[in-house]
Amino acid sequence: MPVLCSLSDVCILDKIRSGEWIPSLDTGKIYSTAKKANLKETPNSNGYLTVSRFPVSHVIWIAANGPVPLGFQLDHINGNKKDNRLCNLRLVTAAENQLLTNAKFTFSQVQEMRRRYAAGATVMQLSRDYSCNHSVISRIIHNQTYTSDIPIEDVPLEIRERIVSDFSRGISINGIRNKYGVQQAVVRRILEEEFSMKKEDKE
């Protein structure tokens, strides 16, 4: 039985089936056989990448799974609207997507969630306490989101000291990133600042 979908998705499907577009599920890029190059991506007013006014996320999804059914939307799992790899896309209802979009937490709140989960709190308990969809909580505690876009100034002194201590004990930068949910660039800056200060003190 055919899936009810938007006319836009039907057009995308035609371009894929005709061989005009060859989407890469691994990179999220779209190759044009006519131009013999990847199509130029342009962000729309909401920050999502498009090609010829079609959402790149839909092109990638349709290449793997077919059109997006009416009533459903695509969610970028890691929160990065420009990351259109298939592994970063999932089908959600409009209501679920709204909950995911509206969930905004401070760095301290995220760390508290992870501490409570490690201490035995359940996803459902955290979901109730923070008035947030359980799928968002699950992504946070498993470091699938809130691992980027955290300004170094927002990292509490206590966490910064732990990061330096862990690194001194031999934990890798990637291990620290996974432990605290802080992007690698921020971890590196914290370590660079710390060791730069120690060097200045010695001099």
Side-chain angles (χ1 to χ4, degrees):
M1 183 176 178
V3 174
L4 292 177
C5 64
S6 67
L7 179 59
S8 172
D9 278 11
V10 173
C11 293
I12 292 172
L13 186 60
D14 285 343
K15 289 181 179 293
I16 294 173
R17 285 179 171 173
S18 69
E20 182 180 346
W21 286 358
I22 303 177
S24 170
L25 308 185
D26 294 328
T27 65
K29 303 298 180 182
I30 304 164
Y31 181 82
S32 168
T33 53
K35 297 183 178 180
K36 299 187 184 306
N38 286 337
L39 291 173
K40 181 180 179 181
E41 300 170 336
T42 305
N44 63 16
S45 58
N46 294 318
Y48 293 97
L49 296 179
T50 65
V51 290
S52 302
R53 298 187 179 180
F54 294 108
V56 174
S57 58
H58 278 240
V59 179
I60 300 301
W61 181 268
I62 290 169
N65 304 295
V68 175
L70 288 180
F72 286 83
Q73 299 176 357
L74 293 178
D75 172 51
H76 289 74
I77 296 173
N78 66 7
N80 183 355
K81 298 178 181 180
K82 296 181 179 180
D83 184 355
N84 290 299
R85 294 171 299 151
L86 181 63
C87 64
N88 190 44
L89 302 175
R90 64 177 171 184
L91 204 60
V92 295
T93 65
E96 288 172 336
N97 206 17
Q98 190 63 40
L99 284 170
L100 292 169
T101 302
N102 289 341
K104 302 294 181 184
F105 298 103
T106 65
F107 183 84
S108 296
Q109 286 176 317
V110 169
Q111 292 301 309
E112 178 63 22
M113 285 183 204
R114 290 171 178 155
R115 280 195 292 268
R116 288 183 58 189
Y117 180 75
T122 66
V123 171
M124 296 308 296
Q125 286 175 328
L126 294 173
S127 178
R128 287 194 299 270
D129 292 347
Y130 289 92
S131 301
C132 179
N133 184 279
H134 64 86
S135 63
V136 176
I137 298 295
S138 179
R139 289 167 62 195
I140 290 174
I141 60 178
H142 292 108
N143 289 319
Q144 294 173 336
T145 187
Y146 282 89
T147 58
S148 60
D149 301 326
I150 299 174
I152 190 171
E153 297 79 13
D154 290 351
V155 180
L157 179 60
E158 176 189 358
I159 299 299
R160 293 170 67 123
E161 291 175 345
R162 289 183 186 177
I163 287 173
V164 173
S165 175
D166 285 350
F167 184 75
S168 299
R169 290 190 293 110
I171 298 179
S172 68
I173 289 178
N174 190 53
I176 292 172
R177 169 200 176 279
N178 292 333
K179 181 177 180 179
Y180 297 103
V182 181
Q183 65 186 126
Q184 287 190 10
V186 172
V187 174
R188 290 182 186 279
R189 279 191 58 193
I190 290 173
L191 295 174
E192 287 171 359
E193 289 184 5
E194 174 66 19
F195 291 112
S196 175
M197 289 173 61
K198 286 185 177 180
K199 183 178 179 181
E200 290 177 0
D201 290 341
K202 288 182 179 179
E203 293 175 349

